[in-house]
Amino acid sequence: MAIEIVATGRYLPARRVTNDDLAKTMDTSDEWIRSHTGIGSRHIAADDEATSDLAYKAALDALKSLNPENPEAEAASLDLIVVATGSPDYYGFPSVACIIQDKLKAENAGAFDIQAACTGFVYALDAASSMLMNGDRKRALVVGADILTRITNWDDRATAVLFGDAAGAVILERTDAPSRGIGKRGLIRSILRAQGSGAQELKCARGGTRAPFKKGEVIDQPIHIYMNGRAVYNFAVKAFTDIMEQLLEAEGLTMNDIKKVVPHQANERIIQAAAKRMNIPEDKFFMNIERYANTSGATIPVALDEYARTGDLEKGDIIMMVGFGGGLTYGGCLVVW
Ligand code: UT7
């Protein structure tokens, strides 16, 4: 048995904001943002859009690629919905997964969220595929969705320019193809790691049970992300290379066996540094950060969808997905297409 990705989808909010647009309201420039991050523009959710709205549209896009005429009919066959998000509609419940389970009328599906920040989609893929492998369930929807611009500190130019909003989705299916040996298919290896000791370097510190908003308190700042950019940068380069090397070693592969790496899109310079460390060409990595910036849990499924739709991926190709983020979390997986 194998767990294969049978469909992909994505959704980007309509409003596109360029670096020049940002430079009109904060002390920054297109030149600084591009040269330090590779970002050229980002999409920002409309005021009336919440994370579940983005997640629902990405899910529908993936279901449409299975059945363009009747995507809703495909939703009825879902056994499981897992949403990776660090910026849910509500802090607490209901989960984003439950909200879209209702919208999709996926009556037979269990639904829950996973919170592993920007690594969330890699964690969710592993969780969903393990659940498909071990149970009666056959089909899962896995979504990465975030609206980080709503919890961005717009007074801090070093973080505000980095983020955008998006959602990406995949449909996983348990098939009869082998997951090991000749002809293997699907998700063949996954590594998940965390370094909780680095939690303070990237966090959203208010609003939870540790520091709840109190009755009568004057809130002069919206709840927002704090980040020690340099510390996260250094962690990220090491996390990327460690995970890539461990995945290759575990499967007895070299980078030559990998068709493309679909990495978390946080900063183009992190990818360049990882490529240099591993002595591999930068074009091994599929990049779209220039257009979308860092969309957190959505970067990997959005990039995977874009890459899959280029037509470059053929059955049997091996791809690698690698991520890192708040927690600190990191991880990656290998998929035989
Ligand atoms: O998925 C989430 C994970 N997060 C990340 O991946 C972030 C990882 N870290 C980074 O990508 C980089 O650390 C940043 C892009 C956030 C910052 O780049 P940096 O090269 O580490 O810049 P810096 O923070 O050391 O700042 C250098 C200079 C400072 O000015 P001075 O003190 O040298 O005069 C900053 O004030 O750049 C200034 N600066 C800016 N200037 C124009 C910081 N942000 C901006 C800005 N526009 N937006």
Side-chain angles (χ1 to χ4, degrees), residues 7-18:
T8 61
R10 68 176 183 274
Y11 173 73
L12 276 304
R15 186 174 157 220
R16 182 172 162 269
V17 175
T18 64

Side-chain angles (χ1 to χ4, degrees), residues 53-73:
D53 299 316
L54 277 54
Y56 171 70
K57 286 180 179 162
L60 216 51
D61 192 40
L63 292 165
K64 259 187 202 157
S65 77
L66 282 179
N67 185 345
E69 305 302 322
N70 195 359
E72 289 82 7

Side-chain angles (χ1 to χ4, degrees), residues 28 32 36 118 157-158 161 227 229-230 264 266-267 269 294 324:
T28 189
W32 191 96
H36 284 73
C118 303
R157 63 180 179 170
V161 301
M227 181 171 71
R230 248 324 132 94
H264 172 45
N267 184 332
R269 289 197 324 186
N294 179 351
F324 71 91

Side-chain angles (χ1 to χ4, degrees), residues 205-215 217 219:
R206 288 299 315 267
T209 55
R210 175 67 60 195
F213 295 117
K214 297 191 184 75
K215 192 175 174 194
E217 181 182 350
I219 313 287

Side-chain angles (χ1 to χ4, degrees), residues 149-190:
T149 63
R150 211 156 282 164
I151 54 168
T152 295
N153 182 357
W154 287 98
D155 293 333
D156 175 13
R157 63 180 179 170
T159 54
V161 301
L162 304 178
F163 299 115
D165 306 326
V170 300
I171 313 276
L172 297 180
E173 206 168 279
R174 179 159 45 78
T175 71
D176 293 333
S179 64
R180 292 271 173 269
I182 296 163
K184 64 187 171 185
R185 290 249 185 278
L187 192 77
I188 58 167
R189 176 76 61 175
S190 168

